[in-house]
């Protein structure tokens, strides 16, 4: 059975801290790993990773994939209160166009 | 800008009622999805559709059906709502074959 596991499931930090979110996956026909950020409404796309070892970066956020160990991490440096959200990790099981989602990780950044 | 619109943001229904949740996308995407999101369970796939009139069951299809009569519109139907279907429902469409999903703002359904 395909599965995606995120850890930790929740985290509380102070502004300025650096956080690392973990995502491990086991899916058949793996094609890509995606990260989403969900604030009050719908999830919004952050990154898509298809190749091992190549870091994707957007401002203070970065992510990398390890296809040998079947995991990805999302790093957020110099966190701000606006980073408070649920972060979702999903694996694309290419055969059926379905994404398998983790349960999400709730990040709270306190001022 | 990409847009996925869910017609109802908040609904309150009674047990046994029929419920329609509508979703429209303006991106000409072929693949559309319905998820429900519950605390501690994350996003779970109910149904998806890869073309007009085509549908496939997701992980939790029981108690739901869908309709895709036009490419831009994907409807989720609860034939007889039950209290355990109280949830946030998210519609999404897929950009090409990249895996990038675009989500609607969600429909929060409460079944009394």
């Amino acid at each position: 059975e395909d599965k995606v596991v995120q850890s930790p499931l929740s985290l509380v930090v102070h502004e300025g801290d650096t956080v690392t979110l973990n995502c491990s996956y086991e899916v058949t026909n793996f094609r890509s790993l995606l990260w989403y950020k969900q604030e009050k409404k719908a999830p919004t796309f952050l990154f898509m990773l298809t190749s091992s070892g190549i870091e994707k970066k957007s401002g203070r956020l970065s992510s990398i994939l390890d296809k040998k160990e079947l995991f990805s991490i999302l790093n957020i440096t110099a966190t701000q209160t606006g980073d408070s959200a649920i972060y979702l990790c999903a694996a694309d099981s290419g055969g059926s166009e379905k994404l398998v989602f983790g349960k999400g990780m709730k990040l709270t950044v306190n001022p | 800008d990409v847009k996925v619109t869910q017609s109802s943001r908040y609904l309150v229904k009674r047990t046994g009622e029929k419920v329609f949740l509508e979703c429209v996308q303006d991106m000409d995407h072929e693949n559309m999805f319905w998820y429900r999101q519950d605390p501690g369970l994350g996003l779970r796939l109910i149904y998806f559709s890869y073309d007009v009139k085509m549908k496939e069951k997701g992980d939790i299809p029981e108690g739901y059906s869908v309709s895709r009569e036009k490419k831009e519109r994907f409807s989720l139907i609860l034939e007889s709502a039950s209290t355990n279907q109280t949830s946030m429902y998210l519609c999404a469409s897929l950009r090409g074959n990249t895996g990038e999903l675009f989500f609607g703002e969600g429909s929060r359904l409460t079944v009394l």
Side-chain angles (χ1 to χ4, degrees), chain A residues 34 36 38 42 48 97-98 103, chain B residues 33 37 40 45 98-99 101 104:
Chain A
L34 298 101
Y36 292 83
Q38 185 176 20
M48 184 175 73
E97 306 286 2
K98 289 194 296 183
K103 292 184 179 181
Chain B
F33 305 79
Q37 186 174 33
L45 181 64
T98 65
L101 281 176

Side-chain angles (χ1 to χ4, degrees), chain A residues 31-32 34 36 38 41-43 45 48 88 92 96-99 101-103, chain B residues 33 35 37 40-43 45 48 90 94 97-101 103-105:
Chain A
R31 186 161 64 180
S32 60
L34 298 101
Y36 292 83
Q38 185 176 20
K41 298 176 183 176
F45 174 79
M48 184 175 73
L88 295 163
D92 181 5
S96 60
E97 306 286 2
K98 289 194 296 183
L99 292 186
F101 279 88
K103 292 184 179 181
Chain B
F33 305 79
Y35 293 90
Q37 186 174 33
L41 297 176
L43 279 168
L45 181 64
F48 68 104
L90 288 166
L94 182 72
N97 61 354
T98 65
E100 184 179 354
L101 281 176
F103 286 87
E105 292 195 335

Side-chain angles (χ1 to χ4, degrees), chain B residues 9-74:
Chain B
R9 293 291 312 279
Y10 301 95
L11 300 99
V12 180
K13 298 290 183 180
R14 297 205 173 275
T15 300
E17 282 192 277
K18 192 169 186 176
V19 182
F20 288 92
L21 298 178
E22 298 272 297
C23 175
V24 178
Q25 50 100 357
D26 65 358
M27 298 158 284
D28 204 37
H29 289 166
E30 292 180 349
N31 294 286
M32 296 185 73
F33 305 79
W34 274 106
Y35 293 90
R36 63 178 283 179
Q37 186 174 33
D38 302 286
L41 297 176
L43 279 168
R44 294 181 292 168
L45 181 64
I46 304 171
Y47 266 97
F48 68 104
S49 168
Y50 50 89
D51 203 350
V52 174
K53 296 192 186 295
M54 307 301 280
K55 61 186 179 185
E56 279 204 28
K57 293 179 180 179
D59 301 315
I60 50 162
E62 296 79 19
Y64 303 95
S65 62
V66 290
S67 171
R68 183 104 182 263
E69 296 297 317
K70 293 185 178 181
K71 193 174 187 180
E72 66 270 20
R73 188 179 298 269
F74 190 35

Side-chain angles (χ1 to χ4, degrees), chain A residues 29-48:
Chain A
N29 302 315
F30 174 81
R31 186 161 64 180
S32 60
L33 192 290
L34 298 101
W35 286 96
Y36 292 83
K37 177 183 181 182
Q38 185 176 20
E39 296 174 86
K40 292 181 182 175
K41 298 176 183 176
T44 54
F45 174 79
L46 293 175
F47 297 112
M48 184 175 73

Side-chain angles (χ1 to χ4, degrees), chain A residues 9-11 21 36-40 44 46 76 80-88 104-109:
Chain A
L9 290 182
S10 68
L11 192 59
L21 286 58
Y36 292 83
K37 177 183 181 182
Q38 185 176 20
E39 296 174 86
K40 292 181 182 175
T44 54
L46 293 175
I76 309 175
Q80 302 171 357
T81 54
D83 295 325
S84 296
I86 294 172
Y87 290 84
L88 295 163
M105 181 275 193
K106 184 175 181 180
L107 176 65
T108 303
V109 181

